[in-house]
Amino acid sequence: MTSTLALIRDGRRTLRQGPDALAHRQRERLAAMIDFARTHSPYYRELYRALPERVEDPVLLPVTHKQNLMARFDDWVTDPEVSLDRVQAFVADPRRVGERFLGRYLVTTTSGTTGHRGLFLLDDRATAVVRALSLRAARRSLTPRVTARLLARRVRSAHIVATGGHLAAHAVLVRSRAAGRLPARGSRVLSVHSPLPELVDQLNRFRPVFLAGYATVIALLAGEQLAGRLRIAPAVVSLLAEGVSEHDRRRIRSAFGAHLVDTYGCNESLALAYGCPFGWLHVHSDWLILEPVDADHRPTPPGRESFTVLLTSLCRWAQPILRYDLGDSVLLRPDACPCGDPLPAIRVRGRAADLLSFPRRDGGSVRIVPMAFETLLERIPGIDLFQIVQTAPTCLRVRIRSAAGADRDRLWTAVRKEMAALLTAHGAGQVSVERAHEPPEQSAGGKYRVVIPWS
């Protein structure tokens, strides 16, 4: 098996050689992965039976979806010893989180918030690639000065993730501890489902120099820091998995005065991209391919928000992920990023599944992207966190966690007025906007979805 160090050196050499070398490496790995999938996965052998013998262009591949792959799980996987029943029995036991399934696979699960729970296997080769890409991200994201601050305080780290199951972030942390890559004495794994005051108390007592968690949860903690209840001074704040708005970015930076690190990942590809100082995410395109597309899976031009994005992983041998509809809306930067990083730059705009649809006043329907509501409510001072739930085709329920000292009635008046204006501007019919008395709610995976559509 190729070592992590060898993978890091290979990545550096490829990037130094320029765009042509990067594109060549991507084509070679794609052709090899497709050949491997055809040979070892009955599902892909059937799906690709009409394709040419060698494929170097992902556009030739049919699109795949999580629900279809999970329905054909035993045919999808490339190891005949793996079966859906055996994996389900394994993940049913929370005590086995981070343990190696069959002695050779890390198992992670999705929370199922999109309606389809996913089960994913990571073999040792894929793990080495993920580790190499994570180290590349750290090297490009952290300055020597910030690294020195971390080392001076022995990298005391706090990771706020969804615990209690085999969800990706938790499983990776537990496995890292078991392998000795994350020292137990110098790190804390905190549950994102803990009450906020409890999280604040734990962090105040531990005083981490490195703080990691979902962007929405870190934004909540930023509010606690600004209110004086949380009193920590991390050198680095790492925002995991989710895209983060510029509003939340400024708020987090103001609260902690820390170096911010963005990482974009998912179960299907634990290391997708990493952030730069200019607010863009740079895609590890030597090991994966992202294709921004419209609702009909046609290419979306750079500079325009996509409906969804298709992911092709070049290192998922146990479960090939090939032209897989990830569901995220992204914007691909049309020109070179001013940070100088040669890897493609994107911004994540949210999930296509979170589009809200309303009946129009003149008939038909109108769809509104979550970003429209997000940017609208971010302009209203006094909101720590909000969540919009479509309880019926013509009804929106708004959950708000207000900032300390905010006038809740005045805040709600502003929210209702702005949302009504937005709906009217889009031509939506009579849509009621209700004030919720319950706070925003987390998904099973620990995240706060900004928008929850009617289903």
Side-chain angles (χ1 to χ4, degrees), residues 155-374:
V155 199
R156 291 168 58 85
S157 61
H159 306 262
I160 306 172
V161 297
T163 58
H166 295 256
L167 295 165
H170 186 214
V172 169
L173 287 169
V174 173
R175 183 66 207 154
S176 295
R177 278 188 166 182
R181 291 188 295 271
L182 185 67
R185 292 187 61 185
S187 64
R188 295 288 185 276
V189 177
L190 309 179
S191 174
V192 75
H193 298 295
S194 299
L196 189 59
E198 184 177 316
L199 274 180
V200 168
D201 180 61
Q202 290 175 315
L203 290 169
N204 280 336
R205 284 188 281 110
F206 184 60
R207 305 187 69 79
V209 66
F210 180 93
L211 175 66
Y214 304 129
T216 45
V217 176
I218 298 296
L220 271 181
L221 290 170
E224 295 297 292
Q225 181 91 352
L226 291 170
R229 291 183 288 271
L230 180 62
R231 299 174 298 279
I232 60 176
V236 174
V237 173
S238 178
L239 308 176
L240 307 177
E242 307 169 287
V244 59
S245 70
E246 190 54 39
H247 172 271
D248 279 346
R249 183 189 301 278
R250 289 194 301 268
R251 194 159 180 264
I252 293 167
R253 187 178 286 115
S254 171
F256 296 112
H259 182 82
L260 290 193
V261 173
D262 280 353
T263 56
Y264 175 39
C266 57
N267 272 272
E268 296 85 347
S269 182
L270 295 179
L272 270 170
Y274 56 90
C276 77
F278 290 85
W280 291 87
L281 292 161
H282 289 273
V283 178
H284 295 289
S285 60
D286 47 345
W287 280 105
L288 60 95
I289 302 169
L290 285 184
E291 300 174 70
V293 294
D294 64 17
D296 297 316
H297 297 137
R298 295 174 301 199
T300 301
R304 186 182 303 172
E305 291 182 15
S306 71
F307 176 78
T308 185
V309 66
L310 305 179
L311 166 67
T312 296
S313 171
L314 305 178
C315 67
R316 296 293 300 233
W317 291 278
Q319 288 170 302
I321 301 289
L322 299 167
R323 213 143 193 261
Y324 175 98
D325 191 335
L326 195 57
D328 288 345
S329 172
V330 304
L331 183 148
L332 176 64
R333 188 181 176 103
D335 56 356
C337 184
C339 77
D341 195 311
L343 292 173
I346 62 169
R347 282 187 175 144
V348 182
R349 297 303 197 188
R351 294 193 60 83
D354 289 341
L355 281 170
L356 292 175
S357 181
F358 305 96
R360 292 184 63 89
R361 291 191 298 271
D362 55 359
S365 62
V366 59
R367 297 161 79 184
I368 304 178
V369 298
M371 185 65 65
F373 293 98
E374 188 170 344

Side-chain angles (χ1 to χ4, degrees), residues 65-239:
H65 302 268
K66 180 167 65 179
Q67 57 267 39
N68 296 335
L69 293 172
M70 286 302 302
R72 297 282 305 276
F73 187 91
D74 290 0
D75 291 331
W76 171 29
V77 296
T78 60
D79 183 343
E81 290 189 48
V82 174
S83 70
L84 181 60
D85 288 343
R86 295 184 75 177
V87 177
Q88 287 179 329
F90 180 86
V91 300
D93 186 352
R95 295 171 300 179
R96 304 189 75 177
V97 174
E99 184 181 319
R100 288 154 62 90
F101 173 65
L102 299 181
R104 55 185 179 273
Y105 298 111
L106 174 68
V107 181
T108 67
T109 67
T110 63
S111 59
T113 53
T114 59
H116 302 279
R117 188 188 190 208
L119 300 170
F120 295 92
L121 308 174
L122 205 68
D123 61 34
D124 287 341
R125 287 191 297 168
T127 299
V129 174
V130 170
R131 196 175 304 130
L133 298 183
S134 299
L135 290 171
R136 169 200 279 170
R139 185 176 64 86
R140 290 179 173 267
S141 300
L142 300 179
T143 65
R145 182 178 179 182
V146 170
T147 302
R149 285 185 64 191
L150 289 174
L151 295 175
R153 292 170 60 184
R154 298 184 180 180
V155 199
R156 291 168 58 85
S157 61
H159 306 262
I160 306 172
V161 297
T163 58
H166 295 256
L167 295 165
H170 186 214
V172 169
L173 287 169
V174 173
R175 183 66 207 154
S176 295
R177 278 188 166 182
R181 291 188 295 271
L182 185 67
R185 292 187 61 185
S187 64
R188 295 288 185 276
V189 177
L190 309 179
S191 174
V192 75
H193 298 295
S194 299
L196 189 59
E198 184 177 316
L199 274 180
V200 168
D201 180 61
Q202 290 175 315
L203 290 169
N204 280 336
R205 284 188 281 110
F206 184 60
R207 305 187 69 79
V209 66
F210 180 93
L211 175 66
Y214 304 129
T216 45
V217 176
I218 298 296
L220 271 181
L221 290 170
E224 295 297 292
Q225 181 91 352
L226 291 170
R229 291 183 288 271
L230 180 62
R231 299 174 298 279
I232 60 176
V236 174
V237 173
S238 178
L239 308 176

